[in-house]
Amino acid sequence: MENRYFESILVTGGCGFIGANFIRHLLEGGHYDGRVVNIDKLTYAGNLENLAGIADRFEGRYHFVHGDICDGDLVGSIMEKHAIDAFCHFAAESHVDRSIAGPGAFVETNVNGTFALLEAARERSDKIKLFHHVSTDEVYGSLGNEGYFTEETAYDPSSPYSASKAASDHLMRAYHRTYGLPVTISNCSNNYGPYQFPEKLIPLMILNALDSKPLPVYGQGKNVRDWLYVEDHCHAIWQIMTHGRTGQTYNVGGRCEKTNLNVVESICDILEKIPGDSGRGEKRSLIQFVKDRPGHDHRYAINCDFIERELGWSPTVSFDQGLAKTIFWYMENQDWVRNVKSGDYRNWISQHYGKDRK
Ligand code: NAD
Ligand code: DAU
């Protein structure tokens, strides 16, 4: 098993949901004692508030750069300035519905952005110990009612989002095979937990249910996703970065298949048990079946035996625990919710920007 140490990691998209949890995992969790440089374009999905307090608490070890991964010159200059020896690449357009409405930004960031990062890394490959790419199980397409995705499953993406992620995975492998760049790739199932932008299923349903608004379930709610608590995903990524084999793909999943309807009903049931206003009313009666997503993949389910065998990783947070933690986090962080959902969030950025930019 490898045992890598990094002095200076360039995290891309660190102000998004998983990236912010990952940076907190490394720094607050005490898993890493080197430097983290976070490049983020601060799209609608990227919020500086997701890392509030980190720049102050980890002064000298955490640096934020407001920038676009497609800007290869900027990435090169960051690498020189901060002596980057590893990448952890999260930055992406990540929402399937948005990719159906407007695929252009997905090709730009997910394909061209990944290419720009790879080129910057290739030009300085003598300095790079590892380039880790965070990808998705959606590259494998849709499963029927049986079977699992393994690391050998052929790619068969359905949406512009998953096609763009598939392209980025192929570029990663090509740079490894052709130029010898030391890369690892993880393909993970659906994440949930704190700081997820409330357009994705779980936070959207929690917030709508709290406000007694309709809960829009696509089709008949029978599509299946494999849910993983975000902290478990962060731990898996760090195991791969520190101990994984270069050139290797690792599937990461929660061993936790649920239909969408089942997820929404579980949220309703937990909320109904909470005393006080939030629990009031028949939450399940808010469920509305709406028009299905075009090209909606029926089922995702990850076989994660390989990462368990090779790196000793397996999911630790049960769906019941993780969902309850997530619901309480959204209930306790109503300011965050208001900020990310309102135009005021932009004001928050301009007020805090100077302070967090290091
Ligand atoms: P997210 O949408 O919450 O965050 C994406 C981040 O990337 C944001 O901070 C955004 O500002 C930044 N970004 C977007 N375009 C950029 C650009 N051109 N330059 C710099 N920064 C840019 O996404 P997420 O859910 O945290 O997902 C992170 C990664 O993990 C993605 O690559 C996604 O494909 C992958 N993934 C997500 C899940 C999931 O369930 N959320 C599961 C598997 C894999
Ligand atoms: O599988 C990993 C992927 O999981 C990641 O690569 C993506 O970045 C991430 O967004 C997620 O993709 P999904 O499309 O599975 O997530 P989403 O939360 O958008 O939808 C989950 C399921 O819930 C899906 O079957 C569609 C359904 N859905 C979603 C929304 C937003 C609804 O029924 N109603 C909704 O309002």
Side-chain angles (χ1 to χ4, degrees):
M1 205 191 275
E2 299 284 340
N3 203 1
R4 296 185 194 89
Y5 176 78
F6 311 112
E7 283 184 15
S8 191
I9 304 174
L10 181 58
V11 173
T12 72
C15 294
F17 163 50
I18 307 175
N21 276 285
F22 180 72
I23 290 174
R24 287 185 181 277
H25 178 81
L26 291 192
L27 298 179
E28 291 185 324
H31 295 283
Y32 172 62
D33 59 11
R35 246 183 343 267
V36 171
V37 182
N38 170 17
I39 179 173
D40 198 299
K41 187 178 167 185
L42 299 178
T43 68
Y44 77 95
N47 302 315
L48 283 175
E49 207 177 346
N50 293 358
L51 288 167
I54 292 292
D56 290 336
R57 280 184 61 196
F58 296 94
E59 194 165 359
R61 290 185 50 214
Y62 172 76
H63 304 267
F64 173 65
V65 180
H66 183 200
D68 191 330
I69 58 163
C70 299
D71 183 346
D73 291 340
L74 174 65
V75 174
S77 71
I78 294 169
M79 291 178 68
E80 308 278 344
K81 180 174 173 193
H82 295 283
I84 297 297
D85 59 1
F87 283 68
C88 187
H89 177 30
F90 295 95
E93 289 292 336
S94 72
H95 190 42
V96 172
D97 291 332
R98 285 182 190 251
S99 83
I100 295 167
F106 287 72
V107 174
E108 181 59 13
T109 286
N110 301 0
V111 185
N112 294 338
T114 302
F115 170 64
L117 292 173
L118 283 167
E119 278 292 274
R122 180 165 78 95
E123 279 167 29
R124 297 160 189 83
S125 57
D126 54 322
K127 308 275 183 347
I128 295 301
K129 293 181 186 150
L130 191 76
F131 189 133
H132 181 71
H133 177 55
V134 181
S135 192
T136 171
D137 59 357
E138 298 201 11
V139 298
Y140 299 124
S142 185
L143 288 166
N145 290 332
E146 292 186 1
Y148 295 90
F149 297 135
T150 71
E151 285 77 4
E152 280 74 47
T153 302
Y155 277 33
D156 187 21
S158 302
S159 70
Y161 162 69
S162 49
S164 67
K165 291 296 291 188
S168 64
D169 292 8
H170 291 321
L171 282 171
M172 296 300 304
R173 280 191 201 96
Y175 272 63
H176 175 66
R177 290 180 197 165
T178 308
Y179 306 115
L181 196 71
V183 314
T184 45
I185 302 173
S186 50
N187 293 87
C188 185
S189 64
N190 286 62
N191 284 216
Y192 68 105
Y195 301 107
Q196 187 166 32
F197 193 83
E199 64 184 356
K200 304 280 172 80
L201 182 73
I202 287 185
L204 179 77
M205 296 297 164
I206 294 171
L207 296 179
N208 280 12
L210 282 170
D211 286 349
S212 296
K213 288 183 180 160
L215 307 177
V217 173
Y218 298 163
Q220 297 185 305
K222 290 187 177 157
N223 302 67
V224 174
R225 296 293 181 266
D226 174 357
W227 292 96
L228 180 69
Y229 192 67
V230 64
E231 182 71 20
D232 274 334
H233 186 191
C234 294
H235 181 217
I237 292 169
W238 190 234
Q239 276 293 104
I240 296 167
M241 287 187 71
T242 49
H243 301 302
R245 280 196 240 172
T246 52
Q248 184 64 52
T249 289
Y250 293 87
N251 278 358
V252 181
R255 296 200 174 110
C256 177
E257 292 182 53
K258 305 271 175 203
T259 67
N260 294 335
L261 185 57
N262 189 231
V263 169
V264 178
E265 287 176 345
S266 300
I267 292 169
C268 293
D269 295 349
I270 294 176
L271 286 175
E272 280 176 20
K273 284 191 199 126
I274 298 172
D277 277 357
S278 54
R280 196 182 300 152
E282 285 285 307
K283 297 297 185 194
R284 284 187 182 208
S285 67
L286 298 169
I287 293 172
Q288 288 185 4
F289 294 98
V290 300
K291 192 167 172 288
D292 209 350
R293 172 185 280 174
H296 197 173
D297 286 335
H298 172 62
R299 173 172 167 258
Y300 304 142
I302 287 269
N303 176 328
C304 52
D305 290 353
F306 180 66
I307 185 171
E308 181 163 31
R309 220 171 37 244
E310 283 255 318
L311 302 178
W313 177 91
S314 56
T316 62
V317 180
S318 73
F319 191 66
D320 288 349
Q321 286 171 333
L323 193 58
K325 274 161 70 151
T326 305
I327 288 175
F328 286 120
W329 189 88
Y330 279 90
M331 289 175 68
E332 283 170 0
N333 287 277
Q334 287 294 315
D335 285 349
W336 180 91
V337 171
R338 261 190 299 280
N339 287 339
V340 301
K341 284 171 84 172
S342 75
D344 288 339
Y345 179 65
R346 294 287 142 204
N347 298 334
W348 190 94
I349 287 183
S350 43
Q351 280 163 19
H352 291 75
Y353 191 69
K355 187 164 158 256
D356 271 34
R357 190 174 198 174
K358 294 227 165 166

